[in-house]
Every structure is written in C-alpha cells, then in structure tokens.
Amino acid sequence: MMAGPGPQPTGSAVRALGLEYRSLQEEPVEGFRVKLVNEDNLFEWEVAIFGPPDTLYQGGYFKAHMKFPADYPYSPPSIRFLTKVWHPNVYENGDLCISILHPPVDDPQSGELPCERWNPTQNVRTILLSVISLLNEPNTSSPANVDASVMYRRFKDSKGRDKEYENIIRKQVSAARLEAEKDGVVVPLTLEDYCRKPKAKAAEPPVDMTDFYVDDYDIGDDDDDLDMGDSDAGDDGDDSGNGES
Amino acid sequence: MGDATREAEPRVDGKDAQVNQDVLIMEQQRQIEEEISDAIPLVGAKEDLLGTLEKEYISDPIYSMKAKDLSSKYNSIRRTRPDGNCFFRAFAYAYFERLLTCKDDYKGFYDIVSKSKDDLIELGFPQFTLEDFYETFMEVVERIGSGDMTQDELYELFNNQGQSNYIVVYLRLITSGKLQRDADFYLNFIDGNRTMTAFCHQEVEPMFKESDHIHIIALSAALNVGVRVRYMDRGDSAQVIAHDFPEGATPAVHLLYRPGHYDILYEQ
C-alpha cells in the first residue's frame, strides 16, 4: 500500500489523480510540466513551472513537489518549491502559501476579498495556473516571507526604481535556467511559445479507470521526463490563469 | 488535547514557528472524523422511530415529549453520519429512495439535473473535474430511472464512500450554482459583507462544511424538490416544529434536525 502515515487513500483519490495525470500527459498545459516523483506513487508529483514571459520570472524554471492527501480531492495538495524562490508567498523552506490550497477550515479572514478556494473541482491544472499568476502578482496581505514582502512593496512603490527585489529574482531566474539546461529543457521565452501547446505524446493505450486500483496501477512508459518536445503550433482556448489574487 | 497534538507534530527543519496551524487543526479534525466514521455508517438502516429516540432520551423529559409528538407523524428514522455532509447525503438518499417507487417525479428531476452541468461550467467550474462528478451523479440517476436499482443497491451505493461523496459534491455544486445565479435574493440571508461567490467558496463547495437554511432553500429550489425539516430542540413547544423549503412546497423529503445534524424521517 501507500507509504507514509495517515489514513488510507480512498478510491476517489486514486481515481481523480489517475484521471488528471493521464490527461496532463496527453494534453499538456502551457507553462508547466508534470511527472511522478516515483512511478509507483500517484500521490507525489514533481512539477516544473516556466516563468511567464514579460515578467521578472521570464525564462525561469521552477521545480516543485506536489503532495496529495489521502482524501484528495476533498482536501487540497501542498506544494513545496525545490528551486530557490524569493517570493512573499513562499516560505524559506520552499512551502507555497496560496489561497487555492488553503484547507477548507473555518478561518478568521472570512471577510477577506473573494479569492479562489479549494473545492473538489479544483485540480492540478487550476492550481498551477494560479501559482503562475501568483508568481508575478504576490499577495502581500498575508506574507509567508516577510522580508521578501517588504522588499517587493518597496520595488512596487518605487515603480521599479528600487531594484533589490528585481535583482534577487533575476539572479534566481538565471540560476534556474542553468538547471533547465542541465535537465535538457528549453524554457519558452516568448508569449507565443509559452502559450503553444506542446505536441501530445504518442498515443498510448487508454487506461481503463475502472481497473485502477492502488496496488496495481500502471502509469504508462518511462519517457515522461520533463522535456518540452517539439512545439506544435495551434492555439488552445485554455484558461490563462489570470484573475487570481 | 490540542497541545498534545502539537507536541506530537514533528518539527520541520527546526521551524516549528512556521508549522501551519491549519494543518494541525485538519489533523485533529481528521482524527475525530475517523472515530465517527468507525462508529456510524454514511447512511444507516431504517430504525423504528419511537423505540430509537425514547432509548436515546430516556433521562431527558423535553426530548422524550418531542419524540412522542414526532412518532405521531413518522414511524421510522434513518441516521446519517455526522460528517458535515449529513444534509446533502440525507437529502440525496431520501429523494433517490422516493424516486425508486415514485416514477411521476422522475422526468422533471432528470430534466433539471441533466441540464445542470452546462450551467455550472458557465459559472466557471473547471470542466474536466466537473464532468467527472456530473457523470458519476447521472449514472446513479439513470440507473434509478431505468429500474435497474433496488433498495439494497441504493443502500450499498450510498455506503460506498467514493460514490456517496461524489453525489454529495455534485449537490454542493448545484447549491453553489443556484446561490450564485440568484445572488441578489440569497445575499439577504448571509451575515457579514461577503460576496455570494466568497460565501460559496467557503461554506458550500468544500466538503464537510455544515449546511444552514440557505443551503437547503437553494438546493430545494434548484431541484424543485420540497423538503420538510422537523426541528427537535430545547424549545418550549411540545410539538416538533416543521419548516418547508421552499416555502409552501409539497414535501418530498422529510428530515429530522437536531442541533448540528440531519437524519431522514419516514411518514406514517
């Protein structure tokens, strides 16, 4: 069975994660790639987020681990960056704090601005699109990294003249680009490339979800490393992930 | 109890100051939920109303009196697990059970729910996951309609956590959809200055969030299914007061409310 403490994963969790993983392999979304940390475990994913063009994060390649709870999709996953990220909403240890991953418990900020919250229809796609948009639009009202938050505000208030924040980000982005090169990944730099849908993987036999049990699932072949592959022209109408606060 | 839990939590990188309080609360809640789920099935068997309640309230004169009053109108009760989803689960079970025998109501209900998906996508719910919940829900509805479902099978299905919870999720989404669509009206019922969307994000869509009047009004209106709730509390009246949702509707589902929880009632 699954490693780690906590309650046994439910059939719903395996089913939901299997469906999502499969769908993201077949139809990757602009801006990020996913793979399993370990082929036998659907509950831990490694994701790579590309910095959106025309932002400080352009060209960046940010790796993170996503951990899903046993009662997913009723509770949200957590995200921890493996790449160093200096950001008001990222803790020093890499843990990301974002409203969409806020556990659905009573919270004292119930009067706060309406923002995306966890509900069982949220999924990896909607989460990562929110993360991409948070990168460039930090939420400074409840910072996880106070120093970064103060620095970001100075950067914003000075209309970019105070460059301390920008310099740190740019440094981290170039370090992350080296990491991408090591991984053989080409980070999309233009908006056009970024929004292009990578070519879908060669057709694989469909997985019959009704036979999808914890003990014997099979996640396709071994070639799901995070390579971009050739880009295939073609627009898709997918959500751009804007509008997240 | 809370302190014990906190101390037991392993420190991460010596940063216990950063341990997320929400995670601790969630963990504790999870333990409580586990205890409840070991003790009470998602949906229980039908029980004799008077016998059950009299035993429960043997040393409580007010509740005993109310149990008697209730037993003049209802003869059985079916308990649901108190996991925050009890209203939705009780509603779904009671109404689906009724549809097994009451074919007249089926067509109207089917038409409403089969159209619900597009409305919800229009409201911005992610299609990919929404469809999964919708299809699971409709599969059950269609089985009921085709006569391919017995009482026992319905009972089993509602005690299968995966399917049972998917049905609850979908009803929560329908409720949220109704509240957002008719926000002008429903905003009158909520406290504070939350927007309806924020209210739905926080109080309706997440699993295990308890239901209030507003949830019941919206769901019963959205599905055009009358719900009568019998309120059993410490109030003076010897009677167990009834509220019908939506107001004036003929009840198709009868529920018993005791502070914090809903169970299913069966009429004489």
Side-chain angles (χ1 to χ4, degrees), chain A residues 64-86:
Chain A
H65 271 179
M66 278 183 96
K67 263 195 178 164
F68 298 87
D71 63 347
Y72 184 81
Y74 309 120
S75 301
S78 59
I79 295 183
R80 173 178 287 191
F81 280 104
L82 305 173
T83 311
K84 271 222 162 309
V85 180
W86 180 255

Side-chain angles (χ1 to χ4, degrees), chain A residues 38-101:
Chain A
N38 170 339
E39 293 274 309
D40 323 313
N41 186 357
L42 264 177
F43 288 77
E44 279 185 46
W45 295 22
E46 185 176 306
V47 301
I49 296 169
F50 300 133
D54 303 329
T55 72
L56 290 182
Y57 294 87
Q58 166 168 332
Y61 171 71
F62 304 96
K63 286 206 239 182
H65 271 179
M66 278 183 96
K67 263 195 178 164
F68 298 87
D71 63 347
Y72 184 81
Y74 309 120
S75 301
S78 59
I79 295 183
R80 173 178 287 191
F81 280 104
L82 305 173
T83 311
K84 271 222 162 309
V85 180
W86 180 255
H87 189 280
N89 305 109
V90 178
Y91 286 101
E92 222 178 305
N93 65 1
D95 283 347
L96 170 71
C97 184
I98 181 170
S99 71
I100 196 175
L101 299 183

Side-chain angles (χ1 to χ4, degrees), chain B residues 130-171:
Chain B
L130 180 75
E131 262 171 11
D132 195 25
F133 292 109
Y134 170 77
E135 279 159 19
T136 304
F137 185 86
M138 289 309 287
E139 218 173 275
V140 177
V141 171
E142 277 159 18
R143 268 184 70 190
I144 292 171
S146 67
D148 176 31
M149 174 92 76
T150 63
Q151 292 264 1
D152 287 350
E153 284 167 342
L154 187 69
Y155 181 78
E156 248 170 61
L157 193 143
F158 267 79
N159 279 299
N160 171 320
Q161 188 161 316
Q163 288 171 299
S164 202
N165 282 350
Y166 264 46
I167 291 169
V168 169
V169 168
Y170 199 67
L171 290 182

Side-chain angles (χ1 to χ4, degrees), chain A residues 7 10 12 15 19-20 23 71 74-75 91 93 102-106 110 115-117 119-121 123 126, chain B residues 13 18 22 26 30 34 125-126 128-129 132-133 136 161-162 165-166 169 173 194 201-202 205-207 209:
Chain A
T10 62
S12 307
R15 175 193 155 103
L19 273 173
E20 280 184 52
S23 131
D71 63 347
Y74 309 120
S75 301
Y91 286 101
N93 65 1
H102 208 275
V105 292
D106 286 308
S110 54
C115 50
E116 215 48 71
R117 284 299 167 121
N119 75 59
T121 68
N123 54 59
T126 60
Chain B
D13 306 336
Q18 284 192 2
D22 290 336
M26 291 282 281
R30 202 165 277 168
E34 241 167 78
F125 286 101
F128 175 70
T129 27
D132 195 25
F133 292 109
T136 304
Q161 188 161 316
N165 282 350
Y166 264 46
V169 168
L173 298 176
R194 274 188 277 189
H201 285 345
Q202 290 164 9
E205 293 156 16
M207 281 293 268
K209 272 284 188 182

